[in-house]
Amino acid sequence: MSIINWGIIGLGKIAYKFASAFDQVKNSKLISVASKNNLNIEKFQTEFNLNKSFCYNEYEQILLNNEVDIIYVALPNNLHFEWIMQCIDKKKNVLTEKPATINAEEIKKINQILV
């Protein structure tokens, strides 16, 4: 069984709940996080036993980590589109909390790229 390596961009309450679920699955592992808040980075690194070199204070850095298979975007809604597009551009699989975007035009742009 291969392991899916996850990264999270944005480390608020929902990201913490999401990260807490990894101990209940066998085929996925949280390996990387990115946040503008250094206290949140430190909390996640300690709580989830993450390698410090995989904990970033710039969102772009997590997208360059070749060991990360999929990114969970846990940012405010108005930032979802930008970071979904960044993930797609860097060939990263992406999951975002709802709403995925703040309007239909953004979803159309995502679909045009993926189809």
Side-chain angles (χ1 to χ4, degrees):
M1 167 175 35
S2 80
I3 301 294
I4 300 167
N5 290 325
W6 286 79
I8 301 175
I9 295 177
L11 301 179
K13 291 178 188 174
I14 193 71
Y16 185 83
K17 288 183 180 185
F18 184 80
S20 297
F22 280 98
D23 64 353
Q24 299 174 26
V25 294
K26 295 180 182 175
N27 68 337
S28 294
K29 181 177 180 181
L30 176 62
I31 66 162
S32 187
V33 294
S35 176
K36 302 289 185 185
N37 183 314
N38 287 328
L39 292 175
N40 283 345
I41 293 171
E42 291 173 17
K43 176 183 175 182
F44 270 72
Q45 181 196 354
T46 301
E47 176 94 16
F48 301 105
N49 195 29
L50 302 175
N51 181 328
K52 188 173 186 171
S53 66
F54 283 18
C55 298
Y56 308 108
N57 61 4
E58 295 292 332
Y59 303 151
E60 295 85 358
Q61 293 172 311
I62 198 171
L63 300 178
L64 300 175
N65 184 328
N66 291 328
E67 293 188 45
V68 174
D69 300 312
I70 185 167
I71 302 288
Y72 177 56
V73 177
L75 294 167
N77 297 345
N78 64 317
L79 296 175
H80 288 182
F81 175 73
E82 174 185 354
W83 289 100
I84 289 169
M85 296 298 282
Q86 291 278 350
C87 289
I88 292 168
D89 183 59
K90 298 293 187 217
K91 308 290 190 244
K92 293 290 185 190
N93 295 300
V94 61
L95 174 68
T96 190
E97 59 188 28
K98 62 182 181 178
T101 65
I102 58 172
N103 61 53
E105 288 304 311
E106 291 177 345
I107 287 291
K108 287 178 185 175
K109 288 178 185 176
I110 291 168
N111 284 336
Q112 287 171 348
I113 290 172
L114 295 177
V115 174

